[in-house]
Amino acid sequence: MIKPIYVYGAEVLRLKAEPADLSDREGIAALVQDLKDTLAKADGCGLAAPQIGVSKQVVIVDGDVVSDIYDYLKGFSRTLINPEIIASSAEKTTYSEGCLSVPGIYCDVSRPKKVTVRYYDEDLKEVTEEFDNFASRMIQHELSHLDGDLFTDHVPQIRKKIISKKLQNILKGKVQTRYNIKQK
């Protein structure tokens, strides 16, 4: 089911998400389907459960949306349940990031080039996988949501000052999206 996406200012985006109960297979399957339906409607490359108002450690990423730029992401998609970054590279890369929960704002963010993540997949099988380049970026961005962080938290103070008016407009509901949003 397509859900509204919570935007900047919503309390759920600032909470540390709780682990998903792996014994609740039906609940997890329903949540994953809601995330997939909502992401498809919003035309994004990733979505975390808190962004649809559910403070659980579940994220999805879909590289097909950006495969015209990063051809190696054609067919790349993952569902990560109760994910944990267990290693990250010292080497960093900087990309311009945006977020469905912070519509209309893009900022350069530096993150590790590679990460190794332990997680459960949709079949609730434990997986340990290394991601690099933009796949790593998508995953790190979404996992930040599980800690109550937004990409705007990872930019220099001067950049925060520059985008502050746009953030205030989101808080006031002065933002247009092609997907349904929820303020609080």
Side-chain angles (χ1 to χ4, degrees):
M1 176 181 296
I2 297 170
K3 302 285 187 178
I5 295 175
Y6 285 71
V7 295
Y8 181 81
E11 184 179 334
V12 69
L13 296 176
R14 293 305 190 171
L15 300 174
K16 183 158 179 61
E18 297 292 323
D21 178 359
L22 298 179
S23 69
D24 182 13
R25 287 183 173 270
E26 283 186 23
I28 289 173
L31 175 57
V32 168
Q33 191 59 56
D34 289 348
L35 286 166
K36 287 180 177 182
D37 293 345
T38 303
L39 184 62
K41 174 70 174 170
D43 201 27
C45 63
L47 196 62
Q51 292 180 273
I52 62 168
V54 180
S55 191
K56 295 290 179 192
Q57 294 179 11
V58 179
V59 304
I60 62 169
V61 292
D62 183 353
D64 275 336
V65 175
V66 293
S67 65
D68 57 332
I69 300 166
Y70 308 107
D71 61 343
Y72 59 89
L73 291 175
K74 183 79 174 148
F76 175 85
S77 69
R78 296 289 185 281
T79 298
L80 296 90
I81 302 163
N82 296 342
E84 175 187 8
I85 295 175
I86 58 174
S88 57
S89 66
E91 182 181 0
K92 306 243 184 201
T93 58
T94 300
Y95 287 95
S96 181
E97 291 188 21
C99 182
L100 296 171
S101 291
V102 190
I105 298 177
Y106 300 89
C107 299
D108 285 347
V109 177
S110 179
R111 297 187 191 266
K113 184 176 190 234
K114 293 181 182 181
V115 292
T116 303
V117 182
R118 183 177 328 142
Y119 64 94
Y120 292 90
D121 66 12
E122 280 185 71
D123 296 321
L124 303 183
K125 292 184 178 143
E126 188 173 309
V127 177
T128 299
E129 187 173 5
E130 182 179 83
F131 302 97
D132 65 0
N133 298 318
F134 203 77
S136 172
R137 165 91 26 191
M138 290 188 304
I139 287 174
Q140 290 178 75
H141 176 106
E142 296 311 324
L143 296 191
S144 288
H145 282 294
L146 303 182
D147 291 328
D149 291 336
L150 299 173
F151 79 97
T152 53
D153 299 332
H154 301 276
V155 300
Q157 195 60 39
I158 187 71
R159 184 70 176 138
K160 288 179 186 175
K161 182 99 171 122
I162 292 168
I163 63 172
S164 64
K165 184 162 177 60
K166 288 182 178 183
L167 292 172
Q168 288 301 312
N169 283 339
I170 295 171
L171 287 173
K172 294 175 185 174
K174 296 180 182 178
V175 63
Q176 292 186 357
T177 61
R178 61 184 180 281
Y179 49 90
N180 290 331
I181 61 172
K182 191 159 184 165
Q183 297 291 139
K184 298 194 185 252

